[in-house]
Amino acid sequence: MQTYIVDVGYLQEEDAFDVNHLLPNWLPSSNIFLERSASQAKVGVTGSLSQEDFNLWLSDLARSLPPHTGVSLDLLLTESNGVAYVNYRLVDRITNINPPIEADNPGFLNYALTWFRSRRPKVRIYATEGLFWMEGV
């Protein structure tokens, strides 16, 4: 069983639970290009998307996975001209993944990415059905 060093520092913020909402699972995007890109993503694929589009892409990627399968991605979180960007590399697909107890709900993803961008912009994210968690790199 894999051990994760999960960083949930963003949950210590005063407004963390006020501005986020629980989701039963990842929501599908309405962007067919993001959905197709996510469903065809292979280990090693890299890209750069606005944070908003990355959230949708990751959601579509997690929804495309078989049950009990997860993915890990290395992220570099940046901002340019007031727009947040996520540079990503799909590191692995993990079968029979066992999420840690600290795994979080997809409704917190955008908040977490924003928090990490200003504090620790290089992170590894894991996503599986209905959950994500992050580790500093």
Side-chain angles (χ1 to χ4, degrees), residues 54-130:
F54 176 79
N55 295 344
L56 297 171
W57 184 85
L58 183 61
S59 183
D60 284 334
L61 176 59
R63 290 175 55 82
S64 73
L65 297 171
H68 311 294
T69 302
V71 290
S72 63
L73 299 100
D74 284 341
L75 308 181
L76 175 60
L77 308 169
T78 62
E79 186 174 344
S80 177
N81 298 322
V83 178
Y85 289 96
V86 179
N87 299 295
Y88 62 89
R89 181 174 69 87
L90 180 55
V91 175
D92 199 7
R93 286 182 180 257
I94 307 159
T95 56
N96 298 316
I97 194 164
N98 189 13
I101 195 162
E102 302 94 343
D104 210 344
N105 182 275
F108 281 79
L109 177 64
N110 194 60
Y111 187 86
L113 291 174
T114 300
W115 188 88
F116 275 98
R117 186 178 70 248
S118 67
R119 290 164 181 83
R120 292 185 277 288
K122 290 183 179 181
V123 294
R124 176 165 286 178
I125 187 168
Y126 295 84
T128 187
E129 42 189 316

Side-chain angles (χ1 to χ4, degrees), residues 16-86:
F17 291 92
D18 297 333
V19 299
N20 297 292
H21 58 284
L22 295 179
L23 297 174
N25 201 342
W26 297 99
L27 298 176
S29 74
S30 59
N31 184 318
I32 60 171
F33 301 107
L34 289 175
E35 188 277 328
R36 183 174 49 211
S37 169
S39 67
Q40 296 176 356
K42 306 273 189 248
V43 170
V45 71
T46 61
S48 181
L49 293 168
S50 70
Q51 184 172 310
E52 181 180 340
D53 284 344
F54 176 79
N55 295 344
L56 297 171
W57 184 85
L58 183 61
S59 183
D60 284 334
L61 176 59
R63 290 175 55 82
S64 73
L65 297 171
H68 311 294
T69 302
V71 290
S72 63
L73 299 100
D74 284 341
L75 308 181
L76 175 60
L77 308 169
T78 62
E79 186 174 344
S80 177
N81 298 322
V83 178
Y85 289 96
V86 179

